[in-house]
Amino acid sequence: MWFLIVPFLLFWFVFNVLSVIFSIWLVISSGKISDSISFILKDNLFWVSLKNSFFYCIIIIPLQLFSFLLAFAIYRISSFSVLLASLFRVVFYLPVVVPIASIGFVFKIMFNDEGVVNDFILKYFGFKIPFLSNYYYSMLVAFLLTLWKGLGYYIVIYLSGFYSISREIVENSVLDGMNFLQRLWYIYFPLLKGTFYFSSFLSTLAALKVFAEIYIVTEGGPGTSTYTMMMYIYSQAFYNLNLNNAIIASFILSFILIFLSIFIFKKQLENIRL
């Protein structure tokens, strides 16, 4: 039955391995590596996109917090109603399987000047908020889209961590007189530290590589308020038709992701040893 994975392996090899090899060959054969690096490092738009990408990582804090709390609530519900807990899991995970393009267009319609969100605000508060045309609010819409889209995914990860905790530990803590907050702080938090690092690692990489949400909803605007690294790479490749700059920028982003991955895993290993 091994041949069933051949289509996937071919697809993965062509679009992951061969594409990287071809990119390296393209840059080297052009003989313009130094020119591309010099252009990118001097390009103010590159530094703006890098700053916005790191700023986008702020979404990790509410994403991980809400995911943890909702997963804990579902975990507690499952102790007296498995059916209700399963229903909540389905409801929260549903946005994960919905195509990002569909969700992006829905958010774009909802948050435009004549959308349902502004209609609600105008009806009850008497004013409108320019979500997609304001320099500061536009990033908020992208944050909300990422939060809504990714919440269910991390809830499942935290739930797997909660279910891996032995019930004997929890029952012993109850017999020792621990209250709810003490169990949460001294039992669940320490035992889920590895899960937290893993989820934070995934969400950090996803935040730095964010593209679809930005491209569909704001297209990097207004101005450069939501212009991220992936938007910069896309613009260099398909708008400016400069593949060398796009490849060098993508390598810079890859090195940043590799460095962050090593740093997070190193911290996780240090905590495991402790």
Side-chain angles (χ1 to χ4, degrees), residues 54-127:
F54 278 103
F55 180 74
Y56 204 84
C57 290
I58 292 175
I59 191 63
I60 295 169
I61 299 171
L63 182 59
Q64 296 304 316
L65 179 62
F66 291 147
S67 299
F68 178 87
L69 294 177
L70 288 170
F72 183 69
I74 295 172
Y75 170 72
R76 296 286 294 174
I77 291 171
S78 65
S79 62
F80 61 84
S81 177
V82 177
L83 182 62
L84 188 60
S86 300
L87 177 63
F88 278 118
R89 283 202 299 268
V90 171
V91 169
F92 282 113
Y93 196 77
L94 194 59
V96 179
V97 298
V98 178
I100 184 63
S102 304
I103 301 173
F105 280 116
V106 169
F107 266 70
K108 191 171 185 177
I109 294 170
M110 285 175 58
F111 285 94
N112 66 29
D113 292 343
E114 306 300 327
V116 293
V117 176
N118 264 319
D119 285 345
F120 176 83
I121 295 173
L122 181 64
K123 181 178 179 180
Y124 290 99
F125 300 99
F127 61 90

Side-chain angles (χ1 to χ4, degrees), residues 63-225:
L63 182 59
Q64 296 304 316
L65 179 62
F66 291 147
S67 299
F68 178 87
L69 294 177
L70 288 170
F72 183 69
I74 295 172
Y75 170 72
R76 296 286 294 174
I77 291 171
S78 65
S79 62
F80 61 84
S81 177
V82 177
L83 182 62
L84 188 60
S86 300
L87 177 63
F88 278 118
R89 283 202 299 268
V90 171
V91 169
F92 282 113
Y93 196 77
L94 194 59
V96 179
V97 298
V98 178
I100 184 63
S102 304
I103 301 173
F105 280 116
V106 169
F107 266 70
K108 191 171 185 177
I109 294 170
M110 285 175 58
F111 285 94
N112 66 29
D113 292 343
E114 306 300 327
V116 293
V117 176
N118 264 319
D119 285 345
F120 176 83
I121 295 173
L122 181 64
K123 181 178 179 180
Y124 290 99
F125 300 99
F127 61 90
K128 289 185 177 182
I129 299 176
F131 287 106
L132 300 180
S133 57
N134 183 273
Y135 193 87
Y136 300 102
Y137 291 128
S138 54
M139 186 65 85
L140 177 62
V141 177
F143 278 167
L144 291 174
L145 175 54
T146 301
L147 182 65
W148 188 78
K149 173 72 174 172
L151 198 61
Y153 180 77
Y154 297 105
I155 285 175
V156 171
I157 293 176
Y158 280 116
L159 273 174
S160 65
F162 279 118
Y163 287 127
S164 67
I165 297 174
S166 174
R167 285 191 174 273
E168 294 178 358
I169 298 174
V170 180
E171 290 170 358
N172 288 335
S173 66
V174 174
L175 293 175
D176 289 338
M178 281 189 176
N179 58 34
F180 171 77
L181 292 177
Q182 287 174 328
R183 290 199 302 275
L184 190 63
W185 185 258
Y186 293 107
I187 302 295
Y188 293 112
F189 277 148
L191 292 177
L192 289 176
K193 189 177 290 185
T195 306
F196 173 76
Y197 272 111
F198 177 69
S199 296
S200 299
F201 164 71
L202 291 180
S203 54
T204 301
L205 298 189
L208 288 174
K209 296 189 301 178
V210 64
F211 173 73
E213 295 93 326
I214 300 295
Y215 182 74
I216 295 170
V217 178
T218 66
E219 297 184 16
T224 57
S225 59

